[in-house]
PDB file of all heavy atoms in Angstrom:
ATOM      1  N   LYS A 243     112.675 313.873  34.254  1.00  0.00           N
ATOM      2  CA  LYS A 243     113.643 314.937  33.970  1.00  0.00           C
ATOM      3  C   LYS A 243     115.035 314.295  33.977  1.00  0.00           C
ATOM      4  O   LYS A 243     115.447 313.661  34.947  1.00  0.00           O
ATOM      5  CB  LYS A 243     113.580 316.051  35.019  1.00  0.00           C
ATOM      6  CG  LYS A 243     112.287 316.786  35.019  1.00  0.00           C
ATOM      7  CD  LYS A 243     112.278 317.870  36.032  1.00  0.00           C
ATOM      8  CE  LYS A 243     110.948 318.602  36.022  1.00  0.00           C
ATOM      9  NZ  LYS A 243     110.897 319.668  37.042  1.00  0.00           N
ATOM     10  N   ILE A 244     115.746 314.452  32.854  1.00  0.00           N
ATOM     11  CA  ILE A 244     117.060 313.848  32.727  1.00  0.00           C
ATOM     12  C   ILE A 244     118.094 314.955  32.772  1.00  0.00           C
ATOM     13  O   ILE A 244     118.059 315.898  31.955  1.00  0.00           O
ATOM     14  CB  ILE A 244     117.164 313.064  31.394  1.00  0.00           C
ATOM     15  CG1 ILE A 244     116.088 311.996  31.340  1.00  0.00           C
ATOM     16  CG2 ILE A 244     118.557 312.476  31.220  1.00  0.00           C
ATOM     17  CD1 ILE A 244     115.844 311.423  30.010  1.00  0.00           C
ATOM     18  N   PHE A 245     119.039 314.835  33.685  1.00  0.00           N
ATOM     19  CA  PHE A 245     120.080 315.831  33.870  1.00  0.00           C
ATOM     20  C   PHE A 245     121.403 315.428  33.248  1.00  0.00           C
ATOM     21  O   PHE A 245     122.236 316.252  32.973  1.00  0.00           O
ATOM     22  CB  PHE A 245     120.265 316.123  35.347  1.00  0.00           C
ATOM     23  CG  PHE A 245     119.036 316.732  35.984  1.00  0.00           C
ATOM     24  CD1 PHE A 245     118.139 315.935  36.646  1.00  0.00           C
ATOM     25  CD2 PHE A 245     118.762 318.086  35.841  1.00  0.00           C
ATOM     26  CE1 PHE A 245     116.987 316.486  37.206  1.00  0.00           C
ATOM     27  CE2 PHE A 245     117.603 318.628  36.390  1.00  0.00           C
ATOM     28  CZ  PHE A 245     116.724 317.824  37.058  1.00  0.00           C
ATOM     29  N   GLY A 246     121.584 314.136  33.012  1.00  0.00           N
ATOM     30  CA  GLY A 246     122.774 313.642  32.361  1.00  0.00           C
ATOM     31  C   GLY A 246     122.742 312.150  32.195  1.00  0.00           C
ATOM     32  O   GLY A 246     121.963 311.465  32.879  1.00  0.00           O
ATOM     33  N   TYR A 247     123.515 311.646  31.260  1.00  0.00           N
ATOM     34  CA  TYR A 247     123.597 310.210  31.066  1.00  0.00           C
ATOM     35  C   TYR A 247     124.909 309.844  30.394  1.00  0.00           C
ATOM     36  O   TYR A 247     125.577 310.676  29.771  1.00  0.00           O
ATOM     37  CB  TYR A 247     122.426 309.694  30.229  1.00  0.00           C
ATOM     38  CG  TYR A 247     122.390 310.189  28.795  1.00  0.00           C
ATOM     39  CD1 TYR A 247     123.032 309.458  27.788  1.00  0.00           C
ATOM     40  CD2 TYR A 247     121.722 311.358  28.447  1.00  0.00           C
ATOM     41  CE1 TYR A 247     123.014 309.910  26.476  1.00  0.00           C
ATOM     42  CE2 TYR A 247     121.678 311.794  27.150  1.00  0.00           C
ATOM     43  CZ  TYR A 247     122.335 311.078  26.174  1.00  0.00           C
ATOM     44  OH  TYR A 247     122.315 311.520  24.890  1.00  0.00           O
ATOM     45  N   VAL A 248     125.279 308.589  30.595  1.00  0.00           N
ATOM     46  CA  VAL A 248     126.449 308.003  29.903  1.00  0.00           C
ATOM     47  C   VAL A 248     126.038 306.611  29.468  1.00  0.00           C
ATOM     48  O   VAL A 248     125.545 305.818  30.241  1.00  0.00           O
ATOM     49  CB  VAL A 248     127.669 307.882  30.823  1.00  0.00           C
ATOM     50  CG1 VAL A 248     128.826 307.193  30.157  1.00  0.00           C
ATOM     51  CG2 VAL A 248     128.087 309.240  31.372  1.00  0.00           C
ATOM     52  N   LEU A 249     126.236 306.328  28.177  1.00  0.00           N
ATOM     53  CA  LEU A 249     125.949 305.012  27.643  1.00  0.00           C
ATOM     54  C   LEU A 249     127.313 304.342  27.326  1.00  0.00           C
ATOM     55  O   LEU A 249     128.041 304.833  26.476  1.00  0.00           O
ATOM     56  CB  LEU A 249     125.112 305.066  26.386  1.00  0.00           C
ATOM     57  CG  LEU A 249     123.740 305.744  26.485  1.00  0.00           C
ATOM     58  CD1 LEU A 249     123.037 305.743  25.134  1.00  0.00           C
ATOM     59  CD2 LEU A 249     122.914 305.039  27.533  1.00  0.00           C
ATOM     60  N   MET A 250     127.582 303.268  28.007  1.00  0.00           N
ATOM     61  CA  MET A 250     128.800 302.502  27.732  1.00  0.00           C
ATOM     62  C   MET A 250     128.358 301.217  27.003  1.00  0.00           C
ATOM     63  O   MET A 250     127.203 300.955  26.860  1.00  0.00           O
ATOM     64  CB  MET A 250     129.486 302.131  29.060  1.00  0.00           C
ATOM     65  CG  MET A 250     129.744 303.327  29.985  1.00  0.00           C
ATOM     66  SD  MET A 250     130.851 304.522  29.273  1.00  0.00           S
ATOM     67  CE  MET A 250     132.397 303.688  29.565  1.00  0.00           C
ATOM     68  N   ASP A 251     129.323 300.453  26.529  1.00  0.00           N
ATOM     69  CA  ASP A 251     128.939 299.226  25.785  1.00  0.00           C
ATOM     70  C   ASP A 251     128.190 298.250  26.662  1.00  0.00           C
ATOM     71  O   ASP A 251     127.270 297.597  26.192  1.00  0.00           O
ATOM     72  CB  ASP A 251     130.191 298.560  25.212  1.00  0.00           C
ATOM     73  CG  ASP A 251     130.826 299.375  24.070  1.00  0.00           C
ATOM     74  OD1 ASP A 251     130.103 300.183  23.482  1.00  0.00           O
ATOM     75  OD2 ASP A 251     132.018 299.164  23.798  1.00  0.00           O
ATOM     76  N   ASN A 252     128.587 298.129  27.920  1.00  0.00           N
ATOM     77  CA  ASN A 252     127.934 297.074  28.757  1.00  0.00           C
ATOM     78  C   ASN A 252     127.099 297.638  29.900  1.00  0.00           C
ATOM     79  O   ASN A 252     126.591 296.845  30.693  1.00  0.00           O
ATOM     80  CB  ASN A 252     128.980 296.103  29.287  1.00  0.00           C
ATOM     81  CG  ASN A 252     129.865 296.719  30.372  1.00  0.00           C
ATOM     82  OD1 ASN A 252     129.933 297.925  30.492  1.00  0.00           O
ATOM     83  ND2 ASN A 252     130.549 295.877  31.106  1.00  0.00           N
ATOM     84  N   HIS A 253     126.925 298.932  29.999  1.00  0.00           N
ATOM     85  CA  HIS A 253     126.062 299.488  31.027  1.00  0.00           C
ATOM     86  C   HIS A 253     125.712 300.948  30.730  1.00  0.00           C
ATOM     87  O   HIS A 253     126.254 301.534  29.772  1.00  0.00           O
ATOM     88  CB  HIS A 253     126.730 299.393  32.427  1.00  0.00           C
ATOM     89  CG  HIS A 253     127.919 300.260  32.597  1.00  0.00           C
ATOM     90  ND1 HIS A 253     129.148 299.993  32.061  1.00  0.00           N
ATOM     91  CD2 HIS A 253     128.063 301.422  33.286  1.00  0.00           C
ATOM     92  CE1 HIS A 253     130.021 300.951  32.415  1.00  0.00           C
ATOM     93  NE2 HIS A 253     129.363 301.829  33.147  1.00  0.00           N
ATOM     94  N   TYR A 254     124.820 301.459  31.521  1.00  0.00           N
ATOM     95  CA  TYR A 254     124.473 302.886  31.396  1.00  0.00           C
ATOM     96  C   TYR A 254     124.306 303.539  32.762  1.00  0.00           C
ATOM     97  O   TYR A 254     124.137 302.871  33.766  1.00  0.00           O
ATOM     98  CB  TYR A 254     123.191 303.080  30.558  1.00  0.00           C
ATOM     99  CG  TYR A 254     121.929 302.525  31.147  1.00  0.00           C
ATOM    100  CD1 TYR A 254     121.229 303.170  32.138  1.00  0.00           C
ATOM    101  CD2 TYR A 254     121.409 301.308  30.716  1.00  0.00           C
ATOM    102  CE1 TYR A 254     120.071 302.677  32.694  1.00  0.00           C
ATOM    103  CE2 TYR A 254     120.251 300.784  31.224  1.00  0.00           C
ATOM    104  CZ  TYR A 254     119.593 301.469  32.219  1.00  0.00           C
ATOM    105  OH  TYR A 254     118.438 300.947  32.769  1.00  0.00           O
ATOM    106  N   HIS A 255     124.434 304.858  32.778  1.00  0.00           N
ATOM    107  CA  HIS A 255     124.227 305.682  33.955  1.00  0.00           C
ATOM    108  C   HIS A 255     123.222 306.801  33.570  1.00  0.00           C
ATOM    109  O   HIS A 255     123.348 307.351  32.467  1.00  0.00           O
ATOM    110  CB  HIS A 255     125.495 306.368  34.394  1.00  0.00           C
ATOM    111  CG  HIS A 255     126.580 305.484  34.854  1.00  0.00           C
ATOM    112  ND1 HIS A 255     126.862 305.282  36.192  1.00  0.00           N
ATOM    113  CD2 HIS A 255     127.508 304.781  34.163  1.00  0.00           C
ATOM    114  CE1 HIS A 255     127.884 304.443  36.288  1.00  0.00           C
ATOM    115  NE2 HIS A 255     128.289 304.137  35.062  1.00  0.00           N
ATOM    116  N   PHE A 256     122.342 307.102  34.445  1.00  0.00           N
ATOM    117  CA  PHE A 256     121.431 308.236  34.286  1.00  0.00           C
ATOM    118  C   PHE A 256     121.377 309.020  35.578  1.00  0.00           C
ATOM    119  O   PHE A 256     121.359 308.451  36.652  1.00  0.00           O
ATOM    120  CB  PHE A 256     119.988 307.801  33.936  1.00  0.00           C
ATOM    121  CG  PHE A 256     119.761 307.485  32.519  1.00  0.00           C
ATOM    122  CD1 PHE A 256     119.819 306.182  32.080  1.00  0.00           C
ATOM    123  CD2 PHE A 256     119.535 308.492  31.604  1.00  0.00           C
ATOM    124  CE1 PHE A 256     119.621 305.857  30.749  1.00  0.00           C
ATOM    125  CE2 PHE A 256     119.353 308.190  30.266  1.00  0.00           C
ATOM    126  CZ  PHE A 256     119.407 306.893  29.843  1.00  0.00           C
ATOM    127  N   LEU A 257     121.343 310.330  35.449  1.00  0.00           N
ATOM    128  CA  LEU A 257     121.029 311.224  36.563  1.00  0.00           C
ATOM    129  C   LEU A 257     119.696 311.817  36.228  1.00  0.00           C
ATOM    130  O   LEU A 257     119.534 312.564  35.248  1.00  0.00           O
ATOM    131  CB  LEU A 257     122.093 312.285  36.691  1.00  0.00           C
ATOM    132  CG  LEU A 257     121.952 313.241  37.882  1.00  0.00           C
ATOM    133  CD1 LEU A 257     121.981 312.456  39.184  1.00  0.00           C
ATOM    134  CD2 LEU A 257     123.046 314.296  37.862  1.00  0.00           C
ATOM    135  N   LEU A 258     118.669 311.414  36.976  1.00  0.00           N
ATOM    136  CA  LEU A 258     117.301 311.816  36.641  1.00  0.00           C
ATOM    137  C   LEU A 258     116.477 312.106  37.839  1.00  0.00           C
ATOM    138  O   LEU A 258     116.808 311.772  38.965  1.00  0.00           O
ATOM    139  CB  LEU A 258     116.673 310.740  35.737  1.00  0.00           C
ATOM    140  CG  LEU A 258     116.644 309.299  36.268  1.00  0.00           C
ATOM    141  CD1 LEU A 258     115.479 309.064  37.206  1.00  0.00           C
ATOM    142  CD2 LEU A 258     116.592 308.346  35.085  1.00  0.00           C
ATOM    143  N   GLN A 259     115.330 312.719  37.534  1.00  0.00           N
ATOM    144  CA  GLN A 259     114.342 313.012  38.579  1.00  0.00           C
ATOM    145  C   GLN A 259     112.973 312.574  38.058  1.00  0.00           C
ATOM    146  O   GLN A 259     112.669 312.754  36.900  1.00  0.00           O
ATOM    147  CB  GLN A 259     114.312 314.531  38.856  1.00  0.00           C
ATOM    148  CG  GLN A 259     113.359 314.947  39.949  1.00  0.00           C
ATOM    149  CD  GLN A 259     113.417 316.446  40.183  1.00  0.00           C
ATOM    150  OE1 GLN A 259     113.750 317.219  39.289  1.00  0.00           O
ATOM    151  NE2 GLN A 259     113.067 316.826  41.381  1.00  0.00           N
ATOM    152  N   THR A 260     112.209 311.978  38.953  1.00  0.00           N
ATOM    153  CA  THR A 260     110.843 311.564  38.584  1.00  0.00           C
ATOM    154  C   THR A 260     109.849 312.522  39.238  1.00  0.00           C
ATOM    155  O   THR A 260     110.076 313.030  40.335  1.00  0.00           O
ATOM    156  CB  THR A 260     110.528 310.135  39.067  1.00  0.00           C
ATOM    157  OG1 THR A 260     110.705 310.063  40.486  1.00  0.00           O
ATOM    158  CG2 THR A 260     111.515 309.148  38.413  1.00  0.00           C
ATOM    159  N   THR A 261     108.738 312.750  38.518  1.00  0.00           N
ATOM    160  CA  THR A 261     107.727 313.652  39.094  1.00  0.00           C
ATOM    161  C   THR A 261     106.329 313.024  39.086  1.00  0.00           C
ATOM    162  O   THR A 261     105.568 313.220  40.000  1.00  0.00           O
ATOM    163  CB  THR A 261     107.666 315.006  38.315  1.00  0.00           C
ATOM    164  OG1 THR A 261     107.386 314.764  36.955  1.00  0.00           O
ATOM    165  CG2 THR A 261     108.984 315.731  38.468  1.00  0.00           C
ATOM    166  N   ASN A 262     105.973 312.259  38.024  1.00  0.00           N
ATOM    167  CA  ASN A 262     104.644 311.698  37.916  1.00  0.00           C
ATOM    168  C   ASN A 262     104.542 310.235  38.284  1.00  0.00           C
ATOM    169  O   ASN A 262     103.547 309.813  38.877  1.00  0.00           O
ATOM    170  CB  ASN A 262     104.060 311.857  36.499  1.00  0.00           C
ATOM    171  CG  ASN A 262     103.839 313.288  36.125  1.00  0.00           C
ATOM    172  OD1 ASN A 262     103.902 314.183  36.927  1.00  0.00           O
ATOM    173  ND2 ASN A 262     103.578 313.506  34.849  1.00  0.00           N
ATOM    174  N   LYS A 263     105.516 309.465  37.904  1.00  0.00           N
ATOM    175  CA  LYS A 263     105.509 307.989  38.107  1.00  0.00           C
ATOM    176  C   LYS A 263     106.677 307.596  38.978  1.00  0.00           C
ATOM    177  O   LYS A 263     107.726 308.239  38.958  1.00  0.00           O
ATOM    178  CB  LYS A 263     105.652 307.268  36.753  1.00  0.00           C
ATOM    179  CG  LYS A 263     104.543 307.520  35.767  1.00  0.00           C
ATOM    180  CD  LYS A 263     103.345 306.696  36.104  1.00  0.00           C
ATOM    181  CE  LYS A 263     102.269 306.887  35.008  1.00  0.00           C
ATOM    182  NZ  LYS A 263     101.082 306.139  35.245  1.00  0.00           N
ATOM    183  N   PRO A 264     106.544 306.507  39.722  1.00  0.00           N
ATOM    184  CA  PRO A 264     107.660 306.023  40.528  1.00  0.00           C
ATOM    185  C   PRO A 264     108.782 305.507  39.668  1.00  0.00           C
ATOM    186  O   PRO A 264     108.539 305.037  38.540  1.00  0.00           O
ATOM    187  CB  PRO A 264     107.061 304.942  41.411  1.00  0.00           C
ATOM    188  CG  PRO A 264     105.727 304.616  40.830  1.00  0.00           C
ATOM    189  CD  PRO A 264     105.336 305.728  39.932  1.00  0.00           C
ATOM    190  N   LEU A 265     110.004 305.587  40.167  1.00  0.00           N
ATOM    191  CA  LEU A 265     111.159 305.178  39.419  1.00  0.00           C
ATOM    192  C   LEU A 265     111.048 303.729  38.946  1.00  0.00           C
ATOM    193  O   LEU A 265     111.376 303.410  37.778  1.00  0.00           O
ATOM    194  CB  LEU A 265     112.449 305.342  40.245  1.00  0.00           C
ATOM    195  CG  LEU A 265     113.748 304.952  39.539  1.00  0.00           C
ATOM    196  CD1 LEU A 265     114.015 305.822  38.321  1.00  0.00           C
ATOM    197  CD2 LEU A 265     114.893 305.022  40.541  1.00  0.00           C
ATOM    198  N   HIS A 266     110.566 302.825  39.769  1.00  0.00           N
ATOM    199  CA  HIS A 266     110.512 301.408  39.385  1.00  0.00           C
ATOM    200  C   HIS A 266     109.614 301.189  38.196  1.00  0.00           C
ATOM    201  O   HIS A 266     109.887 300.324  37.342  1.00  0.00           O
ATOM    202  CB  HIS A 266     110.113 300.521  40.571  1.00  0.00           C
ATOM    203  CG  HIS A 266     108.692 300.733  41.030  1.00  0.00           C
ATOM    204  ND1 HIS A 266     107.637 300.049  40.511  1.00  0.00           N
ATOM    205  CD2 HIS A 266     108.192 301.554  41.990  1.00  0.00           C
ATOM    206  CE1 HIS A 266     106.522 300.456  41.133  1.00  0.00           C
ATOM    207  NE2 HIS A 266     106.852 301.361  42.044  1.00  0.00           N
TER     208      HIS A 266
END
Side-chain angles (χ1 to χ4, degrees):
K243 295 181 181 180
I244 302 165
F245 296 97
Y247 66 90
V248 176
L249 300 180
M250 308 297 282
D251 290 338
N252 71 343
H253 69 284
Y254 64 79
H255 295 259
F256 278 98
L257 184 59
L258 54 84
Q259 182 179 26
T260 60
T261 58
N262 294 351
K263 298 280 185 180
L265 181 63
H266 67 88

